Amino acid sequence: MVKFILVLLIGLSNLSKTTPCANLWEQCGGIGWNGPKTCCSPYVCQYNNDWYSQCLTGSAQSATTVSTGTLTTVN
């Protein structure tokens, strides 16, 4: 019986480990994110900001807008 359990445990440890993927609308990245960082096909991970990226349809393009301006400080 012990041999059977040992063989079973060794066999299970040799199974291929798959990386989970995120589905449509799920988070796929961002600062501190510990979940899946890839999206299940056909979805792509689209960057929203440093804290959040999400699985969406379409091409992997940045969803951010950069604005330029002048910052004035008053002492």
Side-chain angles (χ1 to χ4, degrees):
M1 182 68 169
V2 174
K3 268 187 173 179
F4 173 75
I5 293 172
L6 184 58
V7 169
L8 181 62
L9 290 175
I10 291 171
L12 289 175
S13 67
N14 289 331
L15 290 176
S16 65
K17 293 169 179 59
T18 59
T19 303
C21 57
N23 287 303
L24 183 61
W25 309 114
E26 293 180 339
Q27 186 171 353
C28 56
I31 295 174
W33 176 246
N34 292 323
K37 295 187 177 21
T38 57
C39 299
C40 301
S41 182
Y43 310 118
V44 293
C45 189
Q46 292 191 4
Y47 174 87
N48 188 27
N49 59 48
D50 288 345
W51 298 96
Y52 189 78
S53 294
Q54 183 179 36
C55 293
L56 299 171
T57 59
S59 61
Q61 295 178 356
S62 174
T64 60
T65 302
V66 177
S67 61
T68 58
T70 304
L71 176 62
T72 306
T73 57
V74 177
N75 293 328

